[in-house]
Amino acid sequence: MDTRLARNKLTDLMAAFTGYVGKHLPTDVLDKLAELRAGETSPLAAAVYDSMFENLAAAARLDRPCCQDTGAIQFFVRAGARFPLLGDLAGILTDAVRRATIEAPLRHNAVETFVEKNTGDNTGSRAPWIEWEIAGSGDPGQDEAVIEVYMAGGGCSLPGQAKVLMPAAGYEGVAAFVFDVVASYGVNACPPLLVGVGVSTSVETAAMLSKRAILRPLGSRHPNPDAARMELLLENGLNRLGLGPQGITGNATVLGVHLESSARHPSTIGVGVSVGCWAHRRGTIRIGADLSHEVLSHKEASL
Ligand code: SF4
């Protein structure tokens, strides 16, 4: 395919997908919300869950975003070295955000720092934010890309924190930090929350791992059995806070807790917390070398 045509095709696709993600929640989040609704015993909390589903149905019917805050757009790209247009992908994703801002439409959420002016199209310096990963290590012929789109709303970004703990703080210190963050700020983030926890050496690595944790499919577990157990213990403990949907109290606080980790310096425990809200707008799309695509996050998605 001619390079210009290919560029236009991928821009069209990513603009459409970005807009779609703003209007439809991924299947795993919908399923979890339905499960929490079914298990809710407070009539008021049950009514709030019902209003969430009514809101989602109206967004789909009217073809509008399911929350007024369509967030700061972030992309997490995992691409093979031979993915066509790789060198142009940052520009393509930026153009896709400009297009989605008009066509979806998306709220204007990019204020240029130090200039203090809204750019009006959700782009700006390092906006959209793009994280890169090279896929298929050991396979230089890898030619597809998997792109996550995430809409980082203001309310759900607000609780995010990272800190380096003294080594003696141990995993108890990690748990205490997670509880402090969620108990202090979680109510601002439109519960039920998806809580991502990163454990690493320093603030930036722990923070990025905590963000990657909320991109994992709900219900997935850390491959280390002790870490997976900690995810479950944190989930159970945070649910006992009983924030309930939109923080009005109820049986649950979280959609889930996901933990990501790296090997770390023995003298530190870096811990990061990122939070997703009930309207967790995360979309995953796989794009082939011929620009065919498959939406992985949303069953029955049509672009
Ligand atoms: S926290 Fe989520 S649901 Fe609440 S206003 Fe922000 S983006 Fe919307």
Side-chain angles (χ1 to χ4, degrees), residues 67-74 107 109 150-159 188-189 211 275-277 279 281:
C67 175
Q68 90 290 341
D69 183 357
T70 49
I73 315 298
Q74 302 175 337
R107 198 173 79 177
N109 280 326
Y150 180 68
M151 297 190 162
C156 49
S157 298
L158 196 69
N188 295 304
K211 180 46 98 48
V275 170
C277 57
R281 284 140 311 154

Side-chain angles (χ1 to χ4, degrees), residues 63-253:
D63 194 29
R64 288 181 195 165
C66 59
C67 175
Q68 90 290 341
D69 183 357
T70 49
I73 315 298
Q74 302 175 337
F75 293 105
F76 295 76
V77 179
R78 197 167 64 250
R82 292 201 175 270
F83 179 67
L85 299 169
L86 187 58
D88 209 11
L89 195 50
I92 288 169
L93 294 175
T94 303
D95 286 347
V97 167
R98 284 195 189 97
R99 285 262 310 277
T101 299
I102 295 166
E103 290 167 12
L106 306 178
R107 198 173 79 177
H108 304 168
N109 280 326
V111 173
E112 196 55 81
T113 303
F114 292 118
V115 180
E116 296 308 307
K117 275 203 172 139
N118 196 314
T119 64
D121 63 4
N122 280 314
T123 73
S125 54
R126 297 193 171 105
W129 187 271
I130 306 174
E131 285 289 318
W132 300 93
E133 222 180 312
I134 299 168
S137 64
D139 176 9
Q142 230 279 9
D143 61 3
E144 66 174 30
V146 174
I147 302 178
E148 309 260 12
V149 182
Y150 180 68
M151 297 190 162
C156 49
S157 298
L158 196 69
Q161 288 194 38
K163 186 178 180 180
V164 180
L165 306 176
M166 298 294 275
Y171 294 105
E172 293 85 352
V174 171
F177 183 74
V178 173
F179 270 81
D180 280 351
V181 170
V182 175
S184 304
Y185 302 104
V187 75
N188 295 304
C190 296
L193 311 171
L194 177 52
V195 179
V197 182
V199 181
S200 184
T201 294
S202 47
V203 278
E204 77 287 357
T205 54
M208 186 44 73
L209 287 174
S210 73
K211 180 46 98 48
R212 288 194 178 276
I214 64 171
L215 300 176
R216 264 175 33 203
L218 267 169
S220 60
R221 287 286 172 222
H222 193 292
N224 179 293
D226 289 331
R229 189 160 162 266
M230 187 163 178
E231 289 176 329
L232 198 59
L233 288 170
L234 287 169
E235 268 175 30
N236 293 340
L238 290 172
N239 278 334
R240 290 179 68 178
L241 294 177
L243 288 190
Q246 295 291 9
I248 53 129
T249 73
N251 293 357
T253 301

